[in-house]
């Protein structure tokens, strides 16, 4: 156990209330945990940490470093409650989050020094999604002329904006021009995948 006072350090055997001490070699503790003796169990309330304010994308320079980078990010996130990381599968990127550019530069530097991971960093990609923005109607007529007959497909579709965009066909009619008969099953099969 060491105490730091005015830039000097000295070994001490006991720490009293109000002393500022540093403990080396604690492997199973993280920031915010309470240390106490077995005879007087004390648990202080958990600290609240603000959400990160900046994000950057990170990727290892070589495929061999993927596992080392993942292990390093997990360990750094355990040590630093202001640091978070996540994997966005839609855009296939790992995104790290922190309290500022300097904070994230230090994280990347620690990955390089402590975990021997060379990494590229940059702005995260944005996943663009398209949707139907207004109601739209489409009418389509398909003519097919065979040797002795004409076939006609009349299709009317109404596209409407919903939470989950889907296509809705409001009406579908098939007619045989020569006889004006509806031939649903026979005529629809060649045109529907």
């Amino acid at each position: 156990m060491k105490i730091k006072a005015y830039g000097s350090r000295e070994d001490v055997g006991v720490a009293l209330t109000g002393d500022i001490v540093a403990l080396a070699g604690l492997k199973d503790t993280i920031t915010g945990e309470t240390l106490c003796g077995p005879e007087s169990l004390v648990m202080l309330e958990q600290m609240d940490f603000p959400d990160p304010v900046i994000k950057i994308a990170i990727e290892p320079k070589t495929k061999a470093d993927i596992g080392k980078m993942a292990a390093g990010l997990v360990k750094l996130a355990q040590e630093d409650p202001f640091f978070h990381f996540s994997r966005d599968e839609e855009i296939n990127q790992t995104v790290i989050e922190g309290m500022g550019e300097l904070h994230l530069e230090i994280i990347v530097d620690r990955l390089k020094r402590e975990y021997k991971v060379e990494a590229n960093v940059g702005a995260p990609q944005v996943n663009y999604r398209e949707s139907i923005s207004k109601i739209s109607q489409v009418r389509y007529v398909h003519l097919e002329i065979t040797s002795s007959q004409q076939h006609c497909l009349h299709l009317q579709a109404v596209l409407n904006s919903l939470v989950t965009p889907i296509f809705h066909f409001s009406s579908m009619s098939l007619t045989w021009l020569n006889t004006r008969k509806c031939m649903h099953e026979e005529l629809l099969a060649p045109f529907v995948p």
Side-chain angles (χ1 to χ4, degrees), residues 15-130:
L16 302 174
T17 304
D19 289 345
I20 298 174
V21 296
L23 302 173
L26 299 176
K27 294 182 180 177
D28 296 327
T29 59
I30 59 172
T31 302
E33 290 187 337
T34 304
L35 301 176
C36 62
E39 65 279 349
S40 59
L41 296 177
V42 175
M43 184 165 175
L44 300 176
E45 66 180 77
Q46 197 122 21
M47 294 184 284
D48 291 327
F49 300 103
D51 292 331
V53 295
I54 190 170
K55 297 179 180 184
I56 61 171
I58 186 168
E59 63 182 22
K61 287 189 177 179
T62 65
K63 291 202 182 268
D65 288 341
I66 291 174
K68 290 193 298 185
M69 185 179 85
L73 290 174
V74 168
K75 187 68 174 162
L76 291 171
Q78 287 175 345
E79 294 173 4
D80 186 351
F82 297 100
F83 170 69
H84 302 282
F85 74 96
S86 60
R87 178 84 181 150
D88 191 338
E89 294 300 329
E90 288 185 7
I91 57 175
N92 198 26
Q93 277 190 327
T94 301
V95 177
I96 59 175
E97 306 173 40
M99 298 309 291
E101 289 181 33
L102 180 61
H103 183 213
L104 294 180
E105 285 175 17
I106 291 169
I107 294 290
V108 172
D109 184 58
R110 286 188 64 194
L111 275 173
K112 185 177 180 179
R113 283 184 295 110
E114 297 173 21
Y115 299 96
K116 310 291 188 258
V117 176
E118 293 289 332
N120 296 322
V121 295
Q125 294 178 357
V126 177
N127 189 13
Y128 293 103
R129 296 185 179 165
E130 295 181 6

Side-chain angles (χ1 to χ4, degrees), residues 74-191:
V74 168
K75 187 68 174 162
L76 291 171
Q78 287 175 345
E79 294 173 4
D80 186 351
F82 297 100
F83 170 69
H84 302 282
F85 74 96
S86 60
R87 178 84 181 150
D88 191 338
E89 294 300 329
E90 288 185 7
I91 57 175
N92 198 26
Q93 277 190 327
T94 301
V95 177
I96 59 175
E97 306 173 40
M99 298 309 291
E101 289 181 33
L102 180 61
H103 183 213
L104 294 180
E105 285 175 17
I106 291 169
I107 294 290
V108 172
D109 184 58
R110 286 188 64 194
L111 275 173
K112 185 177 180 179
R113 283 184 295 110
E114 297 173 21
Y115 299 96
K116 310 291 188 258
V117 176
E118 293 289 332
N120 296 322
V121 295
Q125 294 178 357
V126 177
N127 189 13
Y128 293 103
R129 296 185 179 165
E130 295 181 6
S131 177
I132 299 170
S133 60
K134 62 181 182 177
I135 295 174
S136 179
Q137 288 189 358
V138 177
R139 288 192 178 105
Y140 177 72
V141 176
H142 181 80
L143 291 174
E144 185 173 301
I145 301 172
T146 60
S147 61
S148 63
Q149 298 174 340
Q150 288 183 336
H151 300 281
C152 180
L153 171 70
H154 293 273
L155 177 67
Q156 177 181 346
V158 177
L159 305 174
N160 193 357
S161 173
L162 300 172
V163 176
T164 304
I166 59 170
F167 294 100
H168 174 70
F169 295 100
S170 64
S171 66
M172 185 184 301
S173 62
L174 297 168
T175 57
W176 192 329
L177 290 181
N178 286 354
T179 61
R180 297 277 188 222
K181 285 172 48 180
C182 231
M183 304 290 290
H184 247 354
E185 289 78 19
E186 290 179 26
L187 292 178
L188 188 57
F191 302 110

